[in-house]
Amino acid sequence: MKFTRAFSLIIAMVIAPAALAGSNTQNDDTAALEKKLSEALSVDVMSIKESPIAGLYEALTNRGVLYISKDGTKMFHGTLYDLDKGMKNLTEAAMAGPRIDMMKPLEENMLVYKAKNEKHVVTVFTDVSCGYCRKLHNQMDEYNDLGITIRYLAFPRAGVPSANADEMEAVWCAADPLKAMGDAKSGKRIKSAKCDAKIAEQYNLGQTFGINGTPAIVLKDGSLIPGYQPPKDLLRTLEAAQ
């Protein structure tokens, strides 16, 4: 018994430093890769870890997911699929969870059209001048009647700063932002207004999510649907995701 305990203690003493050394080596590797990406591409790296492909790391940045080789010499920006799991979008899956946490600081800045009998909540990155954004907004009552609450975040397609961004700030800073949104999307001119609407932060968040067009719909689990979905189609998508 004493021999067994002593032997176990020796093994633990040998393994622990080795495991720690391995962990430190990995931390050093990821720190070097983060530095390489930041310097080469001027991106902010929020996290970096091993990807599903051996020898390739997955970096979550303010410009979406990037993949970089372990030695830091090769990088690609694209979508990674799993052929053995029904073409599962692994890049999208990597972004889904973090999106939820990243939206939380901007929840107070969202324009919310709440369903009376709320069953689902989606967050829509929108632009006041986008045709399909206007179509979605014109059907707001239908979404709400189906139990879908719509939360808006701003994504001025012309970027920030721009006249487009100023117009969206005017909506967010209006005395009645929900009415102002409807007016803006019907082509009415909104009186200029300034406040701490965080339009730039909302736009930058959309870029981090990989959004390059509007509307873009974020579901409760953080998954992203690019483009417009009619009310009943969106409901089916939400029910299937439960």
Side-chain angles (χ1 to χ4, degrees):
M1 180 67 72
K2 290 183 179 180
F3 173 79
T4 302
R5 288 180 181 174
F7 182 74
S8 298
L9 180 60
I10 293 171
I11 292 297
M13 292 174 66
V14 171
I15 291 176
L20 182 60
S23 176
N24 288 340
T25 299
Q26 182 171 341
N27 289 339
D28 290 344
D29 288 344
T30 56
L33 293 176
E34 179 177 339
K35 185 173 184 292
K36 185 79 175 281
L37 285 172
S38 298
E39 292 178 350
L41 302 176
S42 298
V43 296
D44 296 328
V45 180
M46 288 164 281
S47 67
I48 188 165
K49 63 181 181 179
E50 292 183 2
S51 80
I53 298 177
L56 196 66
Y57 279 80
E58 174 185 279
L60 178 59
T61 79
N62 63 332
R63 292 296 181 268
V65 175
L66 302 175
Y67 297 96
I68 185 169
S69 59
K70 188 174 182 179
D71 62 5
T73 63
K74 306 292 186 300
M75 186 277 292
F76 78 87
H77 179 208
T79 304
L80 188 63
Y81 295 96
D82 191 326
L83 294 174
D84 292 334
K85 294 184 178 179
M87 290 293 288
K88 179 181 179 180
N89 187 329
L90 300 178
T91 304
E92 170 61 24
M95 284 292 300
R99 286 192 186 112
I100 300 301
D101 292 332
M102 292 164 70
M103 285 194 298
K104 286 180 180 178
L106 289 172
E107 285 182 350
E108 292 183 359
N109 300 97
M110 295 177 179
L111 302 190
V112 182
Y113 295 79
K114 187 173 177 61
K116 290 182 180 179
N117 184 26
E118 183 180 280
K119 299 175 182 177
H120 306 281
V121 178
V122 299
T123 305
V124 180
F125 283 83
T126 191
D127 184 300
V128 293
S129 64
C130 150
Y132 277 105
C133 295
R134 291 180 171 183
K135 185 173 183 178
L136 186 155
H137 192 80
N138 288 338
Q139 295 175 291
M140 188 61 71
D141 288 344
E142 294 179 54
Y143 290 105
N144 288 168
D145 288 345
L146 291 172
I148 303 172
T149 289
I150 302 288
R151 309 189 304 180
Y152 277 148
L153 284 173
F155 193 83
R157 293 174 299 161
V160 179
S162 68
N164 184 201
D166 291 343
E167 184 179 12
M168 298 197 73
E169 183 176 34
V171 169
W172 255 256
C173 298
D176 186 344
L178 300 189
K179 180 179 182 303
M181 178 65 80
D183 290 343
K185 287 192 175 181
S186 65
K188 295 180 181 178
R189 184 175 179 82
I190 306 302
K191 183 180 178 181
S192 179
K194 297 287 184 182
C195 68
D196 187 23
K198 293 185 170 59
I199 299 299
E201 288 86 341
Q202 295 180 51
Y203 174 73
N204 290 337
L205 182 65
Q207 287 195 310
T208 300
F209 286 4
I211 292 170
N212 52 29
T214 53
I217 305 171
V218 183
L219 306 187
K220 184 179 179 180
D221 64 355
S223 57
L224 177 69
I225 301 174
Y228 162 80
Q229 284 215 343
K232 290 182 180 179
D233 288 354
L234 180 58
L235 179 62
R236 281 193 287 269
T237 298
L238 291 167
E239 289 177 340
Q242 286 184 330

